[in-house]
Amino acid sequence: MDFTFTEEQQAAAEAARAVLSGVVPDGVPSPALVPGAVAEDIDRPLWAGLASSDLLSLTLLPEHGGAGLDLVALCLVLRESAKVLARVPLLETCAVAMALQRYGDPGLAAELLPRIGRGELVLTAGSNGRSGHDPAELAVKARRRARPGTSGKAKAPGGAAAPADAAVGWVLDGMQSAVPWAQAADWIAIPAHTDEGRAVVALVRPAQDGVTLAEQVSTSGERFAEVRLESVRIDHRALIDGAGAWEWLRAILTTGTCALALGLGEAVLAMTSQYTGKREQFGFPVATFQSVAVQAADRFIDLRAMEVTLWQAAWRISTGADGALPAEGDIAVAKIWASDGIRRVVQTAQHLHGGFGADTDYPLHRFHAWAKQIELSLGPAAAHEEALGNLLAAHLLD
């Protein structure tokens, strides 16, 4: 198995490091010290910097002003962004743009994607459903809105049912919880289900009629929202209903979250290494004590497992390569390691830092809060192990 990155992928990571080099992880108040969100908006200067470095258009096709790179390149950039706790919806914007490019209306894609790449539009996605436990697409209902003068379904001359394109749009009802930075977004991707039981993705504007944003605050202190939809009308172009569109978007969002977990964990382990190398007890750096070294080594192994399972999942999604199991199996393995691994990394870091790790003047506590948010968004490893077991039962291996 060869996970050597291409020159283009390595260049994307280098560009990300350059843009992110000036970002300070604790540049906003600590979530432990403020009653609500740490800030009202995303990091707009950073967003502009990402756009000017062509990192927002990284995965867009050249006809939309992009570089045409794949999910692996995006995950490399996300990994770097997590090391500085970048307060921007980079994952959500790029993932929704990729879904629109692959499955959406060509006219809408041509209209929106160049603007997304230039940083003029911010996108996010509601992928948690009502509670985070039920499938997100079941939390919202999408029904066809027929042409004026018809009742329910459009009719062709003679009373027969008209073709699907006779509908002029869709109506959405339901709710998605914990939508990241929804108040700052220009478009929100909402998974929904139709009368036929198909999963689709609707693009809605936060300010349009019928959309209500209820304030929520994430564990990391960022501004989230509960997005409520009451008879929200959208044009037919704003519904991404290609077969497998929602499943593909969900896979991108999940794998990107695993990349964030990896980058954050690497930053935390580096902080721990620096601290234990300088902190002395009995005249020696604590890093030289066997118990400290063993714990740090265990967390290094966690990160390497998180890394290899991430690249396997991203590669399967990017290439569509066949395997003994569907790509969902590789994604499940990546989620198992990311969810459990990031928790172990930050817990060990707090332990080895002692009380200093909880000091709000030191950034480790902020990384801990972000790690917990990532862990919660991924869900418990046991659930992913059960999903993997079901896949193994359904696909007997030789």
Side-chain angles (χ1 to χ4, degrees):
M1 187 177 296
D2 183 8
F3 285 133
T4 303
F5 301 115
T6 66
E7 292 184 5
E8 293 80 4
Q9 291 166 345
Q10 295 180 50
E14 292 172 3
R17 283 192 287 271
V19 174
L20 296 162
S21 61
V23 178
V24 180
D26 51 359
V28 292
S30 165
L33 301 178
V34 294
V38 296
E40 290 295 307
D41 198 7
I42 63 174
D43 188 339
R44 294 287 177 176
L46 175 58
W47 192 252
L50 292 169
S52 64
S53 298
D54 296 327
L55 291 171
L56 296 183
S57 60
L58 193 69
T59 57
L60 301 182
L61 295 174
E63 55 260 41
H64 299 308
L69 298 186
D70 59 7
L71 176 59
V72 174
L74 175 60
C75 285
L76 284 167
V77 174
L78 291 169
R79 177 190 192 179
E80 297 302 323
S81 74
K83 292 179 181 179
V84 296
L85 306 184
R87 300 182 48 261
V88 288
L90 177 61
L91 168 59
E92 293 81 6
T93 294
C94 291
V96 176
M98 291 168 71
L100 175 60
Q101 176 174 260
R102 182 182 177 111
Y103 294 100
D105 178 83
L108 186 63
E111 178 184 330
L112 297 184
L113 292 179
R115 297 185 62 197
I116 293 170
R118 295 193 297 267
E120 298 171 7
L121 297 176
V122 175
L123 280 66
T124 189
S127 58
N128 294 302
R130 289 180 175 272
S131 63
H133 298 289
D134 297 324
E137 67 272 19
L138 299 183
V140 175
K141 175 70 176 294
R143 67 181 190 276
R144 291 187 184 277
R145 177 164 57 92
R147 292 185 182 279
T150 65
S151 57
K153 296 181 179 179
K155 297 291 184 179
D165 60 4
V168 297
W170 295 80
V171 179
L172 307 172
D173 287 284
M175 182 264 284
Q176 293 286 348
S177 183
V179 180
W181 291 296
Q183 296 87 345
D186 298 286
W187 292 88
I188 305 174
I190 300 290
H193 67 282
T194 67
D195 288 331
E196 299 82 17
R198 292 187 300 111
V200 296
V201 180
L203 298 177
V204 302
R205 292 178 176 273
Q208 71 185 82
D209 292 341
V211 178
T212 304
L213 304 184
E215 196 78 12
Q216 292 180 321
V217 179
S218 71
T219 301
S220 56
E222 298 301 328
R223 198 177 182 200
F224 281 21
E226 179 183 270
V227 180
R228 301 169 184 167
L229 306 138
E230 296 183 8
S231 300
V232 176
R233 297 187 174 194
I234 62 171
D235 184 82
H236 71 279
R237 297 196 311 160
L239 192 88
I240 303 174
D241 61 351
W246 162 237
E247 291 77 11
W248 192 79
L249 174 57
R250 180 175 57 196
I252 298 293
L253 290 168
T254 301
T255 307
T257 303
C258 292
L260 294 174
L262 174 62
L264 190 150
E266 289 175 331
V268 167
L269 188 62
M271 292 170 61
T272 305
S273 175
Q274 293 171 4
Y275 177 78
T276 56
K278 294 185 293 185
R279 175 77 166 88
E280 292 188 0
Q281 284 187 350
F282 311 112
F284 298 94
V286 296
T288 62
F289 299 166
Q290 186 178 30
S291 62
V292 173
V294 167
Q295 291 183 70
D298 285 343
R299 301 295 77 82
F300 178 82
I301 293 171
D302 278 336
L303 288 172
R304 296 291 69 78
M306 291 166 63
E307 182 176 17
V308 71
T309 54
L310 163 67
W311 300 133
Q312 173 70 9
W315 175 76
R316 285 291 304 277
I317 296 170
S318 297
T319 63
D322 292 330
L325 292 177
E328 288 81 356
D330 296 290
I331 296 171
V333 174
K335 288 197 291 185
I336 291 167
W337 278 104
S339 181
D340 265 0
I342 192 61
R343 173 178 51 80
R344 289 194 291 261
V345 168
V346 294
Q347 285 180 347
T348 297
Q350 288 283 9
H351 175 64
L352 296 182
H353 274 82
F356 198 56
D359 189 342
T360 56
D361 291 329
Y362 187 70
L364 180 59
H365 78 287
R366 188 185 298 278
F367 280 86
H368 199 157
W370 276 68
K372 179 56 66 175
Q373 179 63 42
I374 289 174
E375 180 189 353
L376 292 172
S377 65
L378 286 170
H384 311 318
E385 290 167 352
E386 181 179 356
L388 181 60
N390 292 336
L391 283 171
L392 288 168
H395 300 79
L396 297 180
L397 305 181
D398 296 331

